[in-house]
Amino acid sequence: MNDNESVIYDLKQRVAQFADDREWGRFHDLKNLSMALAIEAAELMEHFRWVTNADANALMDDVDASAAIREEAADVLLLLTQFANIAGIDLMVAAEKKLALNERRYPIEKCKGIATKYDKL
Amino acid sequence: MNDNESVIYDLKQRVAQFADDREWGRFHDLKNLSMALAIEAAELMEHFRWVTNADANALMDDVDASAAIREEAADVLLLLTQFANIAGIDLMVAAEKKLALNERRYPIEKCKGIATKYDKL
Amino acid sequence: MNDNESVIYDLKQRVAQFADDREWGRFHDLKNLSMALAIEAAELMEHFRWVTNADANALMDDVDASAAIREEAADVLLLLTQFANIAGIDLMVAAEKKLALNERRYPIEKCKGIATKYDKL
Amino acid sequence: MNDNESVIYDLKQRVAQFADDREWGRFHDLKNLSMALAIEAAELMEHFRWVTNADANALMDDVDASAAIREEAADVLLLLTQFANIAGIDLMVAAEKKLALNERRYPIEKCKGIATKYDKL
């Protein structure tokens, strides 16, 4: 955990510094950041809109498409990091807690090969 | 960077293991994961839908609301991590590259206090 | 209702014809169309990302912004119409049913000035 | 066009009345409504998240799934209608204009069976 905390701390610091240098604090409340995050997620999804499930992964073999997808995924992480900054959320702790909850919600023997939501299991 | 790589490696491993244990591989192509990520981002945003910018951050002072928000933010990170797993993206490298690009796109002196997109600057 | 049906029929016909002329049928399943609809909704939202609630409506006074917003709103309607085409949904009937349900879920006396979701009322 | 205008006028009136009766005017600025619309679009998409393209349309044969999908599609239309109310957008006029633009952007002979965006054609 110490390593995790320090790494997340690094990224959070750099993202916060980037916003502070530009005096973007007044734009970066949780409402605006949640909107910006959802917009970046939609831009990532856009690459897969008209592609079949079977063909989706092969986009990473295309130089231009994979560079664009990598950039959109980075945007999602950067916005999520700034959201966590302002919200005071430790993302690694939150992710570990949620993984543990998911392990209880989705017992292996009940979920094998089935994508049913936990509240319908 | 070595630390970053190892931490991301840890989280990626655990998320991948979670999916493998449940044989969810056939659901987890990049198309489906990009949809799931966008849905989680929308669920995070839902908490701020009818709240003003001024009141948004104060939701974190509410015990129930902040717990729910923390969980939704974790969901976004978990889905993004699995997306990166399948896409073969190193998220930390991608985020650092994008930050460096943003620093060139948004020069401090031009952007102070202004939220204009780089292509309109 | 007869008028409603005929108008929706007209728009649905034109949107379907547009897709048929281009042989886009194989792209237009409900999964892809629901993705495309969510992406258009995110593009509409993008205009309001860094704007306060108080300033949001004034964007319609700006010639360029209002033209772009009008176009994004149209995209949402066009995609929703094609989704309804393929799903066999009569949008006007569905909207009227949902409005009636909302009237029961949100009794006027309980909801005045309060944006609480029905399941928390 | 006269019929279209009167039908849209009817739906717009009823949706506006619903909000006015509950004094929801202060929540219904364009920023909040664009968020609410994107959230409803994500909820519609949720039904198709883990379903293949090939299986997506068959969800409409399932009584429960199709009822839920119909309701989510209605929510998108209701929110879009209220957005148009506040923005002063005539949705039918905007949709017709956009269809005409799309016809120019996507010439039939160039687009047959190809889902390439107009700016890449």
Side-chain angles (χ1 to χ4, degrees):
Chain A
M1 270 308 294
N2 289 352
D3 272 2
N4 290 1
E5 274 161 13
S6 75
V7 168
I8 292 298
Y9 182 77
D10 279 357
L11 185 66
K12 288 179 97 161
Q13 284 295 99
R14 293 182 55 192
V15 170
Q17 189 65 48
F18 181 83
D20 286 348
D21 286 345
R22 283 149 192 83
E23 295 175 5
W24 285 353
R26 68 185 183 94
F27 303 118
H28 284 192
D29 58 67
L30 296 184
K31 183 182 181 88
N32 286 358
L33 289 168
S34 74
M35 291 176 80
L37 179 62
I39 290 163
E40 298 299 343
E43 289 179 2
L44 179 59
M45 186 168 64
E46 196 174 343
H47 292 276
F48 303 99
R49 180 167 39 172
W50 306 121
V51 177
T52 63
N53 294 104
D55 292 339
N57 295 6
L59 280 192
M60 298 307 292
D61 300 332
D62 179 274
V63 178
D64 291 343
S66 70
I69 289 165
R70 211 170 273 118
E71 223 181 281
E72 301 292 2
D75 281 334
V76 173
L77 183 57
L78 294 174
L79 259 314
L80 180 62
T81 300
Q82 181 68 342
F83 182 92
N85 272 339
I86 305 300
I89 294 174
D90 185 319
L91 280 175
M92 290 307 280
V93 171
E96 282 171 20
K97 262 181 118 166
K98 190 60 195 277
L99 256 182
L101 175 63
N102 283 344
E103 274 159 9
R104 291 195 302 276
R105 278 184 175 168
Y106 297 95
I108 293 176
E109 63 282 6
K110 264 194 176 173
C111 299
K112 273 218 170 141
I114 300 168
T116 308
K117 217 177 163 181
Y118 71 91
D119 54 7
K120 302 261 172 73
L121 274 177
Chain B
M1 270 310 296
N2 289 351
D3 272 2
N4 289 2
E5 274 162 11
S6 74
V7 168
I8 291 299
Y9 181 78
D10 279 357
L11 184 65
K12 288 179 95 162
Q13 284 295 101
R14 294 182 55 192
V15 170
Q17 189 65 50
F18 181 84
D20 285 349
D21 286 345
R22 282 149 192 83
E23 295 175 4
W24 284 354
R26 67 185 183 94
F27 303 117
H28 283 191
D29 58 68
L30 296 184
K31 184 182 181 88
N32 287 357
L33 289 168
S34 74
M35 292 177 80
L37 179 62
I39 291 163
E40 297 299 344
E43 289 179 3
L44 179 60
M45 186 167 65
E46 197 174 342
H47 292 276
F48 303 99
R49 183 168 35 172
W50 306 122
V51 177
T52 62
N53 293 104
D55 292 339
N57 294 6
L59 280 191
M60 297 309 292
D61 300 333
D62 180 273
V63 178
D64 291 344
S66 70
I69 289 165
R70 210 170 273 119
E71 223 182 282
E72 301 292 2
D75 281 334
V76 174
L77 183 58
L78 294 174
L79 258 314
L80 179 63
T81 301
Q82 181 67 341
F83 182 93
N85 272 339
I86 305 300
I89 293 175
D90 185 320
L91 280 176
M92 289 308 279
V93 170
E96 283 171 18
K97 260 181 120 166
K98 192 61 196 278
L99 256 182
L101 176 63
N102 283 344
E103 275 159 8
R104 290 195 302 277
R105 278 183 175 170
Y106 298 96
I108 293 176
E109 62 282 4
K110 263 194 177 173
C111 300
K112 273 215 170 145
I114 300 169
T116 308
K117 215 176 164 182
Y118 70 91
D119 53 7
K120 302 262 172 72
L121 275 177
Chain C
M1 271 308 295
N2 288 351
D3 273 2
N4 289 2
E5 274 162 12
S6 74
V7 168
I8 292 298
Y9 182 78
D10 280 356
L11 185 65
K12 289 180 94 162
Q13 283 295 100
R14 292 183 55 194
V15 170
Q17 188 65 49
F18 181 84
D20 285 350
D21 286 345
R22 283 149 192 82
E23 295 175 6
W24 285 353
R26 68 185 182 95
F27 303 117
H28 284 192
D29 58 68
L30 296 184
K31 183 183 182 86
N32 286 358
L33 289 169
S34 74
M35 292 177 79
L37 179 61
I39 291 163
E40 297 299 344
E43 289 179 3
L44 179 59
M45 185 169 64
E46 198 173 342
H47 292 277
F48 303 99
R49 181 169 37 171
W50 305 121
V51 177
T52 63
N53 294 106
D55 292 339
N57 294 6
L59 280 191
M60 298 308 292
D61 300 333
D62 180 272
V63 177
D64 290 343
S66 70
I69 289 165
R70 210 170 273 118
E71 223 182 280
E72 300 293 1
D75 281 334
V76 174
L77 183 57
L78 294 175
L79 258 314
L80 179 63
T81 300
Q82 181 68 342
F83 182 93
N85 271 339
I86 305 299
I89 293 174
D90 186 320
L91 280 175
M92 289 308 279
V93 170
E96 281 170 21
K97 262 181 117 167
K98 191 59 195 281
L99 256 182
L101 176 62
N102 283 345
E103 274 159 10
R104 290 194 304 276
R105 278 183 174 171
Y106 297 96
I108 293 176
E109 64 281 6
K110 265 194 174 173
C111 299
K112 271 212 173 148
I114 300 168
T116 307
K117 216 178 162 181
Y118 70 92
D119 53 6
K120 302 261 171 73
L121 275 177
Chain D
M1 269 309 295
N2 288 352
D3 273 0
N4 288 3
E5 273 162 12
S6 74
V7 169
I8 291 299
Y9 181 77
D10 279 356
L11 185 64
K12 289 180 95 162
Q13 284 294 101
R14 292 184 54 193
V15 170
Q17 188 66 48
F18 182 83
D20 286 349
D21 286 344
R22 283 149 191 83
E23 296 175 5
W24 285 353
R26 67 185 183 96
F27 303 118
H28 283 191
D29 58 68
L30 296 183
K31 183 182 181 87
N32 286 358
L33 289 168
S34 75
M35 291 176 80
L37 179 62
I39 291 164
E40 297 300 343
E43 289 180 3
L44 179 60
M45 186 168 64
E46 198 174 343
H47 292 276
F48 303 99
R49 182 169 36 172
W50 306 121
V51 176
T52 63
N53 293 106
D55 292 340
N57 294 6
L59 280 191
M60 297 309 292
D61 300 332
D62 180 273
V63 178
D64 291 342
S66 71
I69 289 165
R70 211 170 273 117
E71 223 181 281
E72 301 292 1
D75 281 333
V76 174
L77 184 57
L78 294 175
L79 258 314
L80 180 63
T81 301
Q82 182 66 341
F83 182 93
N85 272 338
I86 305 300
I89 293 174
D90 185 320
L91 280 175
M92 290 308 278
V93 169
E96 281 171 20
K97 260 180 119 168
K98 191 60 195 278
L99 256 183
L101 175 63
N102 283 344
E103 274 159 9
R104 291 195 303 277
R105 278 183 175 170
Y106 298 95
I108 293 176
E109 63 281 4
K110 263 194 176 174
C111 299
K112 272 216 172 142
I114 300 168
T116 307
K117 214 175 164 182
Y118 69 92
D119 53 7
K120 301 263 173 71
L121 274 177

